[in-house]
Amino acid sequence: MTAPALDELLGDPARLDAIVGRLVARIRETVPEYAAVTDEALRSGNRRIVATALAHLREHRLPDAAELREITEIGVARARQGVSLAAVLAAYRVAGEACWDLIEARAREHGADDAALLATLGLVWRWLDVVTVAAATAHHEVQLRVAREDEQRIGDSLRALLAPTTSPASSRAHLVGLGLDPDGRYAAVRGRLAPGVTVSVLRESAPSGAVLAAVGREDVAGVLAAGVSLETSLGTFGIGPLGPPEELHLSARSAGRALAAAFRLGMGGTHELATLRLAAVASADEELTAILAERLLKPLRDKGRYGMDIWSSVVGYLEHGLRIDEAAAASPVHPNTLRRRLAHFAEFTGADLRDPADIAELWWLVRLGRTPAH
C-alpha cells in the first residue's frame, strides 16, 4: 500500500515545503526559462500542485473540472510571464519524476510491494497526462489572447501614426512603442495580400524595420524604415515617400493612391507614385478612359477580328519604340503588313501616330490593358 506514505507527506507541512524547495531547485536547473519567475511565485505554484497531486493519489482519483481550472491558473500565470509551453511541460515532467522518486522511497519504507507501486505509478502518469493537456490548452488560449492584444496594440499605433491629427510628440511615442527609432525616416505602406498569404507570413518575411498590421481581411498597413522593402510575391503594395514621422500621414495618402492604381492595373509587387507616374492617373480617371476608348477603340471594334489585328499591331508598334522593323520582327507579320494596319488605324480612328498627343492617348489605353474587345 502507498497510502501510509502519502498520508505521511500530506501530514507534514515542513517536509512538504522541503520537497517543494528541492523541486524548485531542480526545475531552475533543468528549465532555464524559469529564471524569469520569482522564487516566491515558483514555490507557491509548485506547493499547490504537489499538495493537490498527493491528495488525489491518496484518494485514487484524477482531478475534476473545477480542480483542473485551479491547477491551470498557475500555467496561465507562467504563460503571461513569458514562459513557453515547452518549458511548462518540461517542468511538469521534472516535478513528476522527482515526486515519484520520493513517493516510491517512502512507500517502500512502509512496506509497499511492487504491485501497489505499479498501480500508483500508473495513476501518477495518468494524472500528469490530464493536467498537462489542460495546461497546454490554457497556455495556447493565453498565447492567442496575447497575440490578439499585440495585434490590437500594433494596429492602434499604426493607425495613429498614419492619421493627420497625430502630433509629432505622439508620433515619436508610437514609434518607440513599436520598437522603431523615433528619429528615423519612414515610408507608409498600404497593401493587399496575395492569395494564401497571411499577416503572420508577411511579418515573418519582412525584414527588420518593417511594422505591419491587418486593416481588413486582406488589406494591411504599416511603416517601413529607410532601405527596407517587401517581397513582391507577398501581394500588391503601395509605398509612400520617405519622410520624418510627422509626415507619415502624407506618405500614407501617397501609398494608398499607389496601391489603388497598381491594383486597378493588375500589377503585383511594390509600387510608388514616382514609378507609376501617369499610369496612376490613368487608372483613376474612368471618365477620360471611356472618352479615349470611344474615339480609338470603338472604330476597331466595329471591324471585328481585323480590328483586333490592327490593335495588336498598334500595341506592338508602341512597345517597340515606334520602330516598324523591330515591331514586325517581334510579330508574325511582314513590315509592309504592319504599315498597312497602322495606316488603316489612322484611317478608321482619325489618330495620327506621329502626333505625341495621340500617342499619349494610345499609351493610356494600352497601360490600362484596354482592347477593342472591352
Side-chain angles (χ1 to χ4, degrees), residues 7 45 98 161 210 272 322:
D7 288 336
L161 276 171
E272 303 175 28
L322 311 183

Side-chain angles (χ1 to χ4, degrees), residues 1-364:
M1 294 289 291
T2 57
L6 295 169
D7 288 336
E8 177 185 313
L9 294 172
L10 287 167
D12 189 342
R15 176 174 291 180
L16 193 58
D17 286 341
I19 293 169
V20 170
R22 291 196 294 272
L23 280 180
V24 167
R26 181 81 175 273
I27 289 171
R28 289 200 183 281
E29 177 185 350
T30 310
V31 191
E33 284 187 42
Y34 273 80
V37 183
T38 65
D39 195 63
E40 179 182 356
L42 194 53
R43 282 179 174 273
S44 173
N46 275 275
R47 197 184 195 290
R48 285 170 58 191
I49 292 174
V50 170
T52 301
L54 293 175
H56 290 168
L57 293 175
R58 178 64 181 84
E59 297 166 7
H60 303 285
R61 68 179 181 87
L62 299 175
D64 60 29
E67 291 165 335
L68 267 180
R69 283 193 296 273
E70 184 177 343
I71 293 170
T72 55
E73 285 176 2
I74 300 168
V76 166
R78 300 294 174 263
R80 290 200 171 277
Q81 290 165 334
V83 180
S84 69
L85 176 57
V88 170
L89 297 180
Y92 269 113
R93 177 182 55 78
V94 169
E97 292 173 352
C99 281
W100 170 247
D101 289 343
L102 178 65
I103 293 169
E104 181 185 22
R106 291 289 185 271
R108 288 195 182 280
E109 289 176 6
H110 284 276
D113 57 23
D114 289 344
L117 288 172
L118 187 61
T120 302
L121 177 60
L123 182 57
V124 167
W125 293 118
R126 290 200 305 278
W127 192 93
L128 281 172
D129 283 344
V130 170
V131 170
T132 53
V133 167
T137 301
H139 196 285
H140 181 63
E141 290 173 352
V142 170
Q143 288 180 315
L144 289 177
R145 285 198 298 273
V146 170
R148 286 194 292 269
E149 291 167 2
D150 284 346
E151 184 70 29
Q152 183 66 43
R153 177 185 61 80
I154 293 171
D156 289 346
S157 292
L158 286 174
R159 280 187 286 274
L161 276 171
L162 303 181
T165 55
T166 303
S167 68
S170 294
S171 294
R172 292 171 63 85
H174 285 302
L175 287 170
V176 171
L178 293 171
L180 298 173
D181 179 6
D183 296 316
R185 290 171 61 80
Y186 299 95
V189 56
R190 301 278 190 182
R192 174 69 58 87
L193 298 176
V197 176
T198 64
V199 175
S200 297
V201 170
L202 177 63
R203 285 177 178 159
E204 290 171 3
S205 304
S208 176
V211 179
L212 303 145
V215 292
R217 294 186 60 185
E218 299 174 330
D219 293 344
V220 295
V223 295
L224 303 178
V228 175
S229 60
L230 300 174
E231 293 182 18
T232 58
S233 62
L234 297 172
T236 302
F237 303 97
I239 310 295
L242 278 169
E246 59 269 21
E247 294 180 5
L248 271 170
H249 67 283
L250 300 175
S251 183
R253 186 170 60 189
S254 293
R257 290 181 62 195
L259 171 64
F263 205 71
R264 290 192 192 100
L265 294 168
M267 302 166 63
T270 57
H271 305 277
E272 303 175 28
L273 287 181
T275 55
L276 290 168
R277 301 190 296 276
L278 283 176
V281 179
S283 69
D285 198 329
E286 296 181 1
E287 183 178 4
L288 181 55
T289 299
I291 292 172
L292 297 180
E294 180 71 17
R295 178 196 174 205
L296 300 172
L297 296 179
K298 185 179 182 300
L300 300 183
R301 187 180 308 122
D302 295 340
K303 301 299 179 180
R305 176 63 191 174
Y306 184 54
M308 287 297 298
D309 291 341
I310 291 175
W311 182 249
S312 296
S313 294
V314 171
V315 172
Y317 179 62
L318 292 177
E319 290 177 343
H320 289 85
L322 311 183
R323 291 184 285 271
I324 287 180
D325 289 340
E326 290 185 17
S331 70
V333 302
H334 190 275
N336 289 337
T337 302
L338 179 58
R339 290 187 180 93
R340 185 164 55 252
R341 289 181 179 178
L342 295 179
H344 283 159
F345 175 75
E347 177 186 343
F348 299 153
T349 64
D352 184 349
L353 292 176
R354 294 168 299 180
D355 184 342
D358 284 350
I359 290 174
E361 292 178 357
L362 285 167
W363 171 89
W364 184 295

